Amino acid sequence: MPDKDMALLQLKELVEEVTNCTKCPLAQSRTHVVFGEGNLHARLMFVGEGPGKDEDLQGRPFVGRAGQLLDAMLEAIDIKRAEVYITNIVKCRPPNNRVPAPAEARACLPYLRNQVAIVKPKIIVCLGATAAKYIIDPNFKITQQRGQWIERKGYYIIATFHPAAILRDPSKKKPAWEDFILIKEKYLAEG
Ligand code: URA
């Protein structure tokens, strides 16, 4: 079977599994599971924290205000949203947008690992401290350690501010923009 069809099949099976997931209490309060979306063979993957209200209602990642900012930042570096893959640490909305509890994140992380194994991106961007903590280092300090490449298991990984954090604190816009320039450079270099 061609690689492309194989990835589609594997991802479909995973969607089915995640859609029926009841491994943590977030399953009880969700409207939709937000699995993630994008190019099955994306070279660039973005990982956020977890769905918010709009994402929970629509079943799609980053479609609310933070998503609109992410779209604008992608457009500014001339990368189409459809080229990349976008997902989250947890696939169900934490009530009132609280940070996912460690047990919730741990229950959900195998799904992210499978997504990464199927899509095989070259670059993984952690959007915010939660993604960086679970993907890079549990003690990750987003303000100090963002914008630095890490190479692990053949993936280039970087963290930047979460778009929602930039909306709350516009002083984060400039450093986030600098990170997006780095991401674009790596994306071109790894083409
Ligand atoms: N914030 C996230 O971390 N993920 C989304 O999908 C939307 C908002």
Side-chain angles (χ1 to χ4, degrees):
M1 191 186 284
D3 262 13
K4 209 172 166 188
D5 298 348
M6 190 68 170
L8 185 59
L9 191 69
Q10 288 173 327
L11 222 45
K12 272 190 172 167
E13 282 174 7
L14 193 58
V15 169
E16 172 99 13
E17 188 184 340
V18 182
T19 304
N20 295 310
C21 180
T22 54
K23 282 191 201 158
C24 90
L26 298 182
Q28 262 96 65
S29 51
R30 73 180 174 224
T31 311
H32 289 108
V33 166
V34 180
F35 179 78
E37 66 181 25
N39 176 1
L40 298 193
H41 302 284
R43 281 153 39 221
L44 178 55
M45 181 182 275
F46 288 87
V47 184
E49 177 176 294
K53 187 169 182 237
D54 296 302
E55 291 76 20
D56 175 65
L57 289 173
Q58 294 185 42
R60 296 181 54 209
F62 282 96
V63 290
R65 276 186 73 221
Q68 282 160 19
L69 179 55
L70 176 62
D71 289 351
M73 292 178 87
L74 279 173
E75 205 174 308
I77 55 168
D78 209 19
I79 295 178
K80 293 189 176 45
R81 182 171 164 130
E83 273 175 64
V84 307
Y85 197 88
I86 305 177
T87 189
N88 283 301
I89 293 290
V90 292
K91 312 303 194 215
C92 298
R93 182 189 182 202
N96 304 314
N97 300 343
R98 65 162 169 72
V99 175
E104 294 159 356
R106 275 197 301 273
C108 217
L109 276 172
Y111 297 137
L112 177 63
R113 286 195 199 100
N114 278 326
Q115 284 173 305
V116 171
I118 296 167
V119 176
K120 302 190 185 74
K122 296 216 167 126
I123 304 163
I124 298 174
V125 178
C126 304
L127 293 172
T130 300
K133 279 184 178 156
Y134 287 103
I135 294 174
I136 302 175
D137 173 359
N139 298 313
F140 198 87
K141 301 275 178 291
I142 190 77
T143 307
Q144 291 154 33
Q145 293 173 274
R146 46 145 280 279
Q148 296 171 28
W149 289 109
I150 289 155
E151 218 184 315
R152 198 187 280 169
K153 295 185 189 162
Y155 302 105
Y156 292 103
I157 309 176
I158 198 167
T160 189
F161 289 123
H162 192 289
I166 303 171
L167 289 171
R168 282 194 300 270
D169 174 4
S171 75
K172 293 190 163 74
K173 204 167 187 170
K174 187 168 176 280
W177 173 244
E178 288 163 5
D179 298 341
F180 267 66
I181 304 272
L182 293 178
I183 293 162
K184 173 71 178 188
E185 283 169 5
K186 186 68 89 184
Y187 188 65
L188 289 176
E190 288 303 304

